[in-house]
Amino acid sequence: MDADPIPRRRGRPPKLADDYGQTRDRLIRAGVVALTEQGFAATGLEGLLRGAGVPKGSFYYYFDSKEAFGLILIETYAAYFNAKLDRWLTDRQVAPLDRLRNFVADATAGMARHDFRRGCLVGNLGQDLAILPDAYRQALRDVLKGWETRLVACLEEWGSPTAAAQAAFFWTGWEGAVLRARLERGPQPLTLFLDGFLALIEAR
């Protein structure tokens, strides 16, 4: 007996399997965008569904629960950001600290394209931890640990004996710089933080 092409879930099913995947991806993209622009509490599920052209009653056809949807958004954002870090921080044709400068330049340009209205999904969710499921806390910690691991490798290649501590410091400060850049609608906080971080580690 042939297996069903897609799992049977609650809600109105789409006509084709391709519709299922495309609609699910649209919801995920819309969710990631929303969470980079605002916190979890301010993100309305109804608005996301309406924007994706999905009836409200069909949400559970695509996702097991709202909590599961949020975890998928974290995972999706992490994959996107990890790819960005891998692109910049592992470029062996560029000196290690210049790789970090290139990452910051790219991130700054990305924020500027959206008039500094979008920030970091991880940072935004971190501000809402009091109202989030417990599973989100560990998921966000895992994402940050992955970012730290990538920066550690870059700083160790540069020759830092305290790369782990420096990487943890960088990402803690980076989240604050991104928040400040959004508040000021400009790149100055990002530039200020990077200059300060590099001055600190180069003075070791």
Side-chain angles (χ1 to χ4, degrees):
M1 183 172 63
D2 292 337
D4 289 333
I6 51 178
R8 296 184 180 277
R9 297 173 182 258
R10 289 177 288 165
R12 186 187 310 164
K15 296 179 181 179
L16 300 171
D18 285 349
D19 292 341
Y20 170 85
Q22 291 170 4
T23 301
R24 189 175 187 275
D25 287 346
R26 278 205 310 276
L27 286 170
I28 291 172
R29 286 195 298 271
V32 169
V33 168
L35 290 183
T36 58
E37 292 181 347
Q38 57 199 17
F40 188 86
T43 299
L45 183 59
E46 186 171 346
L48 294 179
L49 293 169
R50 184 168 57 250
V54 178
K56 187 174 181 180
S58 296
F59 175 79
Y60 294 104
Y61 180 77
Y62 299 98
F63 305 98
D64 291 334
S65 64
K66 292 180 182 178
E67 178 176 344
F69 179 56
L71 289 172
I72 290 171
L73 298 185
I74 294 172
E75 179 182 339
T76 301
Y77 183 80
Y80 154 78
F81 207 84
N82 288 344
K84 183 185 290 287
L85 290 175
D86 290 340
R87 174 188 176 191
W88 296 113
L89 298 185
T90 64
D91 185 354
R92 296 295 188 272
Q93 296 182 345
V94 178
L97 294 189
D98 286 337
R99 298 175 203 170
L100 184 58
R101 292 185 178 95
N102 289 342
F103 157 71
V104 172
D106 179 68
T108 302
M111 292 189 71
R113 280 195 299 273
H114 301 287
D115 194 28
F116 292 89
R117 294 179 183 278
R118 295 185 187 176
C120 175
L121 180 147
V122 172
N124 288 352
L125 288 182
Q127 297 178 65
D128 284 338
L129 280 178
I131 63 170
L132 296 179
D134 290 340
Y136 285 37
R137 181 185 301 273
Q138 187 59 51
L140 295 172
R141 290 179 64 185
D142 290 344
V143 173
L144 286 170
K145 184 57 66 177
W147 297 355
E148 288 177 13
T149 298
R150 287 168 168 79
L151 184 53
V152 165
C154 182
L155 294 175
E156 286 180 340
E157 190 175 339
W158 173 61
S160 172
T162 57
Q166 290 171 345
F169 177 82
F170 177 86
W171 290 114
T172 299
W174 176 255
E175 289 299 331
V178 168
L179 174 61
R180 186 71 179 268
R182 293 185 66 198
L183 287 172
E184 298 186 7
R185 294 283 173 83
Q188 294 84 357
L190 304 176
T191 301
L192 179 65
F193 171 69
L194 177 64
D195 290 346
F197 176 78
L198 292 177
L200 180 64
I201 68 171
E202 289 179 318
R204 74 187 194 284

